[in-house]
């Protein structure tokens, strides 16, 4: 499933601002937006995590601006938005993909560990949406919040991420309602187990993978490409009347429960 399923250059003249856009799922989304014609700013705490993706996009003929900012720090986020607008003139598409994750039992997790993930995922999503609001209002733009399915049931060792992503889904719905009047669409994507990611390598040990696979009705793990395709669809005019939705892209996995085993 490598061929492009969409019309060429559907995001020509669009500018995307993608947090966490250097690596993993959101890195794929950033690259896919660029491949489909968007100019892309990618944002992460560490510039060295952005440089390989920026190089890849530029070598493929795209335009990419890597900007270092911590989504927990509103002043840094505002400055990244400013730099993007100075470089590319506007923002049409915001993808909130910056996230933190690790496995930890609730009984072992420190309050600061819980709060750190909520700060990155939930507060970070609000911070970036808030800082980009004026630009999105001008462009009648849209937001994609990268979520998860962990909180649809209960996923052991993921209380912090489950709480954080439940908050992200609430933000998706709230902003869809409050900002619809400006023509801004706000949606989410909830990836299931995606195999070609660092997260999957780190969070799902090899012996558990087989058990997990048996819980996916479509009989395979997801690929980053599956999330890219969902993002392109949601960002395209084909989704013009879709807002406030978190699209689950998991091969049906969560219907069999969200625990890893
Ligand atoms: N298990 C338990 N607690 C952990 C932890 C782990 N694996 N990793 C971090 N924490 C706790 C720390 O102990 C600390 O709490 P404390 O002060 O009570 O000890 C708190 O979380 C903050 O940790 P710190 O490393 O200082 O925060 P940070 O802001 O530098 O980074 C993360 C936080 C989550 C981003 C970091 O753990 C990380 O780099 N994770 C890997 C990258 C990632 O998650 N990518 C997303 C892939 S899905």
């Amino acid at each position: 499933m490598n061929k492009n399923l969409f019309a060429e250059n559907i995001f020509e003249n669009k500018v995307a601002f993608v947090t966490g856009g250097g690596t993993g799922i959101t890195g794929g989304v950033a690259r896919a937006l660029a491949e489909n014609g968007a100019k892309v700013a990618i944002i992460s705490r560490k510039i060295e995590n952005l440089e390989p993706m920026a190089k890849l996009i530029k070598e493929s003929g795209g335009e990419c601006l890597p900007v270092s900012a911590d989504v927990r720090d509103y002043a840094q986020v505002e400055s990244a938005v400013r730099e993007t607008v100075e470089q590319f003139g506007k923002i049409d598409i915001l993808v909130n993909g910056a996230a933190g994750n690790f496995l930890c039992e609730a009984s072992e997790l420190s309050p600061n560990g819980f709060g750190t993930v909520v700060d990155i995922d939930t507060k970070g999503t609000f911070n970036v949406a808030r800082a980009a609001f004026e630009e999105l209002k001008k462009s009648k733009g849209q937001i994609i919040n990268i979520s998860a399915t962990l909180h649809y049931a209960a996923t052991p060792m993921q209380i912090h991420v489950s709480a954080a992503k439940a908050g992200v889904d609430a933000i998706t719905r709230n902003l869809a309602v409050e900002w619809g009047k400006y023509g801004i669409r706000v949606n989410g994507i909830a990836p299931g187990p995606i195999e070609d990611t660092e997260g999957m390598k780190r969070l799902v040990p090899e012996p558990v993978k087989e058990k997990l696979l048996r819980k996916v009705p479509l009989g395979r793990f997801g690929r980053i490409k599956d999330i890219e395709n969902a993002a392109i669809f949601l960002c395209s005019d084909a989704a013009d009347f879709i807002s406030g939705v978190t699209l689950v892209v998991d091969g049906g996995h969560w219907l069999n429960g969200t625990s890893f085993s």
Side-chain angles (χ1 to χ4, degrees), residues 45 72 99-104 109-113 116-117 120 199 202-203:
R45 260 198 301 181
R72 292 171 284 190
N101 202 350
F102 50 81
L103 293 176
C104 192
L109 183 62
S110 74
N112 191 38
T116 296
V117 172
I120 299 171
R202 226 164 22 80
L203 302 175

Side-chain angles (χ1 to χ4, degrees), residues 248-260:
V248 178
V249 185
D250 75 337
H253 167 246
W254 87 266
L255 299 167
N256 281 327
T258 59
S259 66
F260 293 143

